[in-house]
Amino acid sequence: MRSAQPERIAMQNWSVRIAVVIVLLLSLRIGSIQADDELTNAEPLVIPTVEATALNLVGTNSCAAGSCHGGARLSEGRSFAAYQIWMRKDPHSTAYSVLSNESSSRMMALLYPKENGPAPHATKEARCLNCHVTTEPSGDLQVPPTSHAVADGVGCESCHGPAKQWLGLHSTIAWRGMSADAKSSLGFVDTTADLAGRAQLCANCHVGSPGRDVNHDLIAAGHPRLNFEFSAFHANLPKHWDAQSPRSTEIQDIEQDSAFEAKAWLTGQLVTAQTSVRLMQHRTKEPQPWPELSEYACFSCHHDLKENSWYQSRGRSTGRFAWGTWNYGMMPALAHDAAANGQFESLKTLMEESFPERAAVRQRAGDLDLVLSKLISEASSRDYSKQGMDQLALQMIDLSRDGDLPAESWDQTAQLYLAIVAISLAREKTAPGDPLNLTIQNELEAIRQKLLFDKNLDSPQEYSGSQIDVILRRLHGIQEALTTADRVNR
Ligand code: HEC
Ligand code: HEC
Ligand code: HEC
Ligand code: HEC
């Protein structure tokens, strides 16, 4: 482990971003297409011309014709206007252009020592392009993609699959009759069918994967830390599809399931953990820096050293590094059977040793990977009735027993908060009119207030014992309400 200097190190804007997620999440209105979503009065689009000659990618322009997905009227269906929504509202359409902004240049300058001459431009750097533009899924991620539509940023084919082999058929009537397997053999990615697959798609870039890694070097150079939580990110993605109205019969409407948010949350947690454990196996290989510091709680090293800081007062010695507080924050409650929990704990114990050995970590990470596959396949068949979801929420809150888990870590508290938000959104749809919904929402709002940072701060430096105590009280308020409801229901 590289030794951390015990001075207070200024944190960059990583934590602001999760605050943004939280703010957006609570201002979310599901179900209504708002008037300002109408795209009809918008100025005509100028479609940039770009080269699109790679093997399987055709470029986003190929989807943008008025009769395909470039329609401007939402009344004709959101998927008809998909291109317009993506272009005007979706953060992915600017993913390439941000590589030319000031913070990208600063990042590149810090990543490349001056002695070796001027740093390359981020738009020429494979380690940035792999996440910030559309790449061939099976392509060599070490080679910068230069020959296709890089300027589109994260375009349609990043999520729906390289279209060269299916685009022609897709616009014919024959497409409807084709089986899912036949479509997928042409490279089409069916985002409608499988929640775990959908979460995996996002996690490849938002958690990372071999060849796509926001490690501590990038974070220290100024890249935002990746704080991915699937249900919140999914909710924040501007919908270019008809999530609320019935679609054709061959489409499984997973979003119209009243338990959607709860399922998305649980599936997302497990897929995030699995993606992270796979990335970790890659990180253990030479010549990557090891141990990889971004695996650990940032505040293990970057803590406020004033006496009795919240961190120390909650029993963490400053010499120990807490591992996996974001990507595995809820694992102790999710790995419900003893075997799964054992695998998780054994990896955690190893990672929290002073110098975890690469090969041993790779081995245990591989074991946990297998366990996670099983948990993911079981996630969709859990009990998602109101009672089932209440049990799930209680199981999560149980992590805070004895002032344990969330008390010592902003990461885990924020994760716990997002968990209960997702479950309560699903609860509201499953049991509309249940007065308990409002009680939970009020407690959640109080918790959210305590998780936000002061205006002038960009990290929870002032996250203190008194804040934690309020949060714990509110959590236990929810716990009590749910437990009482459970007793009444029996
Ligand atoms: C593992 C995928 C991944 C890699 C690798 C990556 N990024 Fe990012 N980047 C993201 C994601 C995801 C976000 C959005 C962060 C969020 O909100 O969670 C982002 C955000 C950014 C932002 C902030 C955008 C804004 O709105 O201000 C900049 C700038 C940026 N990246 C530049 C870079 C540069 C430069 C590199 C290469 C040195 C790079 N990125 C490598 C995934 C990646
Ligand atoms: C960040 C990933 C992502 C990007 C980029 C993206 N989509 Fe989607 N798309 C999704 C997800 C997730 C869904 C919702 C699941 C579903 O219904 O397929 C979806 C749904 C759709 C649907 C509805 C599918 C159906 O059968 O009803 C269409 C059409 C569509 N997208 C077209 C596009 C087009 C065109 C673009 C580019 C302009 C694009 N998408 C870019 C992720 C993405
Ligand atoms: C090919 C990589 C890639 C994939 C796949 C991808 N994203 Fe992204 N995503 C990015 C990058 C890069 C950014 C930052 C773009 C920017 O700031 O301009 C981003 C930004 C976002 C943001 C805005 C975050 C913020 O802090 O404002 C949301 C929300 C988001 N993505 C959701 C999703 C979801 C949901 C999926 C899966 C359906 C997904 N993304 C799939 C790369 C990806
Ligand atoms: C094991 C200790 C350790 C952990 C854990 C750790 N860091 Fe660091 N961090 C350092 C050290 C040492 C430096 C200075 C040297 C360097 O740049 O690598 C640093 C530098 C930084 C910098 C640049 C700060 C500056 O002022 O130059 C940022 C930003 C940063 N870390 C953010 C994070 C975030 C976010 C996390 C959690 C994902 C994290 N760190 C986890 C030890 C750590």
Side-chain angles (χ1 to χ4, degrees), residues 123 150 306 312 375:
T123 55
V150 282
K306 73 175 181 249
Q312 289 163 13
L375 294 177

mmCIF file of all heavy atoms in Angstrom, residues 123 150 306 312 375:
data_model
loop_
_atom_site.group_PDB
_atom_site.id
_atom_site.type_symbol
_atom_site.label_atom_id
_atom_site.label_comp_id
_atom_site.label_asym_id
_atom_site.label_seq_id
_atom_site.Cartn_x
_atom_site.Cartn_y
_atom_site.Cartn_z
ATOM 1 N N THR A 123 -9.053 13.203 -26.584
ATOM 2 C CA THR A 123 -9.827 12.600 -27.682
ATOM 3 C C THR A 123 -9.002 11.603 -28.493
ATOM 4 O O THR A 123 -9.519 10.957 -29.403
ATOM 5 C CB THR A 123 -10.348 13.674 -28.655
ATOM 6 O OG1 THR A 123 -9.230 14.443 -29.100
ATOM 7 C CG2 THR A 123 -11.365 14.580 -28.000
ATOM 8 N N VAL A 150 -16.914 8.649 -33.776
ATOM 9 C CA VAL A 150 -16.534 8.964 -32.395
ATOM 10 C C VAL A 150 -17.252 10.196 -31.864
ATOM 11 O O VAL A 150 -17.604 10.256 -30.693
ATOM 12 C CB VAL A 150 -15.011 9.180 -32.220
ATOM 13 C CG1 VAL A 150 -14.279 7.875 -32.185
ATOM 14 C CG2 VAL A 150 -14.464 10.103 -33.260
ATOM 15 N N LYS A 306 -8.656 16.479 12.233
ATOM 16 C CA LYS A 306 -8.910 17.157 13.509
ATOM 17 C C LYS A 306 -9.339 16.117 14.545
ATOM 18 O O LYS A 306 -9.917 15.085 14.203
ATOM 19 C CB LYS A 306 -9.937 18.262 13.354
ATOM 20 C CG LYS A 306 -11.365 17.792 13.169
ATOM 21 C CD LYS A 306 -12.285 18.990 13.147
ATOM 22 C CE LYS A 306 -13.707 18.493 12.980
ATOM 23 N NZ LYS A 306 -14.342 18.763 11.762
ATOM 24 N N GLN A 312 -12.830 8.852 13.288
ATOM 25 C CA GLN A 312 -12.138 8.177 14.383
ATOM 26 C C GLN A 312 -13.082 7.853 15.523
ATOM 27 O O GLN A 312 -12.997 6.800 16.139
ATOM 28 C CB GLN A 312 -10.999 9.044 14.895
ATOM 29 C CG GLN A 312 -9.871 9.108 13.884
ATOM 30 C CD GLN A 312 -8.925 10.252 14.152
ATOM 31 O OE1 GLN A 312 -8.950 10.861 15.217
ATOM 32 N NE2 GLN A 312 -8.104 10.570 13.181
ATOM 33 N N LEU A 375 -26.768 -15.350 -7.064
ATOM 34 C CA LEU A 375 -27.663 -14.363 -6.441
ATOM 35 C C LEU A 375 -28.412 -13.553 -7.505
ATOM 36 O O LEU A 375 -29.584 -13.221 -7.344
ATOM 37 C CB LEU A 375 -26.878 -13.431 -5.511
ATOM 38 C CG LEU A 375 -26.250 -14.064 -4.261
ATOM 39 C CD1 LEU A 375 -25.445 -13.018 -3.488
ATOM 40 C CD2 LEU A 375 -27.315 -14.670 -3.348
#
